[in-house]
Amino acid sequence: MKGRFMEKFIEIAGRIGAQRHLVAIRDGFVAIMPLIIIGSFAILINNFPPLGSFSFVEWMNGILGEGNWQAVGGSIWNGTFAVLGLLVAFSIAYSLAKSYEIDGLSAGLISAASYIMLVPVTEDWGLNFAWLGSQGLFVAIVLALVLTELFRVLVNSRWTIKMPEGVPEGVARSFKALIPATIILILVGCFQALMSVFAEISVFEVIFQVIQEPLQGLGNTLPAAILIAFLNHLLWFFGLHGTNIIGSVMEPLYLPLIQKNLELFSSGVSAYDVPYTVTKPFLDSFVFMGGSGTTIALIAAIFIVIRREKNHPYREVGKLSAPASLFNINEPVIFGLPIVLNPAMLIPFILVPVTLTITSYFALATGLVPKTVAIIPWTTPPILSGYLVTGGSWRGIVLQLFNFAVATIMYIPFVMVGVRALKQQVGRE
């Protein structure tokens, strides 16, 4: 009975992880992640705290003129975070269309154009930046998925212009997308006109108030963070890439939260006073140190338990996995020890991240440690990551060291059990 349940669970989780639309959402966010990281660093550098008597910001303003260095970061922000919704509308549509093996570029452009059509305009007929950014993420996701499906149906029907052979491929592709694009943009225009006539608010405001804002409020709670940590590691235990499977849910939920923290931090608000505790950098830097399962602490526990047996299998796996683990790449230890489908490692592999989620949440929520105000590459090593995501605070480093110590202590008994079981198995052989 239990075996059938586990098989069914793995099958369902695998299907969810491979679901075309969720994969498109995940890949769409992954595609724009470099821009997000650059935008985050621009604000972090603009507001970096002084190192003793040296202030990098004042030094740069002395070279470029007062306020000009901040203008550089502001411009980068405008081209990245400020148009996040627009970027996502393109990238998700592109990814979904490519999965159907249809014209991804045309699908992305149609989605981006439709998104702009729906964005409210200001009194001077400019686009409202409030909805071009993260507040428009859910509209961007829905729009990209729906319009790409409609584009797929139309482009595979007779409603296309087929150019004769010999016409350059790019020209033929453009003409093939012409009629589907026309139909889609007319439909979007009619929808926008109806919203203007029968509703006093835009579709962005409707979705933000009804769906996005409540979900963001829920995502900032400790139970939600614990649930994400639990599901991520439960999936990994069965050999499924938990981070990828739940990434399509995490990215649209947590990116707006870190953006709000970033915006307030850039305006001079202290990292202690920004509103959101649970963000993706919160999980990456304080919970998933060394990768999912905080496996850098597992490797440390292996070296502590097995000090004398130089050629012990666990120690060999630890030595081979340690360099990659410093950069949060932990597949060598997950599949080499292994952790996957290893009953001896199920409890600590799930319990350690859940415990660190709780300790980290209370450290940030009570003001012992500043909240996260920067997005950094997920490969950034611990210590450096704790310093950067908290806006350059040594307290972020202290929290990482504390979490590392707690995780190592929690792993030690289970490593001892694993070593003992391995010896018994070798003895029987």
Side-chain angles (χ1 to χ4, degrees), residues 55-100:
S55 172
F56 176 78
V57 176
E58 291 182 4
W59 180 62
M60 289 303 298
N61 279 330
I63 297 173
L64 301 175
E66 188 62 35
N68 288 336
W69 174 244
Q70 284 87 343
V72 174
S75 298
I76 295 174
W77 175 273
N78 290 340
T80 53
F81 265 102
V83 290
L84 196 58
L86 180 60
L87 296 172
V88 164
F90 176 89
S91 61
I92 292 178
Y94 178 88
S95 298
L96 182 58
K98 295 298 288 185
S99 74
Y100 283 120

Side-chain angles (χ1 to χ4, degrees), residues 99-335:
S99 74
Y100 283 120
E101 297 184 354
I102 58 177
D103 186 3
L105 181 59
S106 293
L109 291 173
I110 291 169
S111 177
S114 300
Y115 184 87
I116 291 174
M117 290 171 64
L118 296 176
V119 172
V121 296
T122 60
E123 293 182 358
D124 58 353
W125 296 100
L127 293 175
N128 191 329
F129 261 87
W131 301 110
L132 283 172
S134 63
Q135 286 191 176
L137 275 182
F138 276 65
V139 173
I141 293 169
V142 173
L143 198 68
L145 297 179
V146 171
L147 296 190
T148 303
E149 288 292 344
L150 179 56
F151 177 73
R152 176 179 65 88
V153 171
L154 292 172
V155 86
N156 289 330
S157 68
R158 296 179 181 178
W159 296 75
T160 58
I161 299 173
K162 294 184 179 180
M163 302 298 289
E165 292 184 9
V167 174
E169 184 182 351
V171 176
R173 214 168 40 235
S174 297
F175 274 91
K176 187 176 183 180
L178 179 59
I179 294 178
T182 302
I183 294 172
I184 291 172
L185 294 183
I186 289 174
L187 290 174
V188 173
C190 291
F191 174 79
Q192 174 68 346
L194 290 173
M195 286 293 296
S196 300
V197 172
F198 295 106
E200 295 182 358
I201 58 177
S202 68
V203 64
F204 286 88
E205 293 168 292
V206 172
I207 291 182
F208 182 78
Q209 293 175 9
V210 175
I211 300 175
Q212 187 169 341
E213 196 170 31
L215 283 177
Q216 289 175 189
L218 180 64
N220 189 45
T221 62
L222 178 58
I226 291 174
L227 180 62
I228 287 173
F230 174 80
L231 289 177
N232 181 38
H233 293 86
L234 182 64
L235 291 168
W236 265 115
F237 177 77
F238 289 106
L240 302 168
H241 202 301
T243 310
N244 280 352
I245 291 174
I246 65 175
S248 55
V249 177
M250 282 183 59
E251 297 289 356
L253 186 62
Y254 284 123
L255 267 179
L257 305 189
I258 188 63
Q259 178 175 355
K260 187 64 178 178
N261 283 2
L262 264 167
E263 288 176 346
L264 292 173
F265 183 66
S266 67
S267 66
V269 175
S270 168
Y272 290 96
D273 300 324
V274 295
Y276 296 112
T277 301
V278 183
T279 63
K280 191 171 183 298
F282 165 87
L283 294 168
D284 288 343
S285 300
F286 299 120
V287 180
F288 303 153
M289 291 184 295
S292 295
T294 322
T295 47
I296 193 171
L298 171 59
I299 294 171
I302 289 173
F303 289 141
I304 291 172
V305 172
I306 310 168
R307 296 187 297 275
R308 298 178 181 176
E309 299 179 50
K310 301 299 183 182
N311 297 321
H312 192 282
Y314 276 22
R315 189 178 176 88
E316 289 299 310
V317 171
K319 286 195 295 186
L320 292 172
S321 305
S325 187
L326 290 174
F327 297 93
N328 303 320
I329 300 168
N330 66 345
E331 279 80 359
V333 69
I334 283 182
F335 295 104

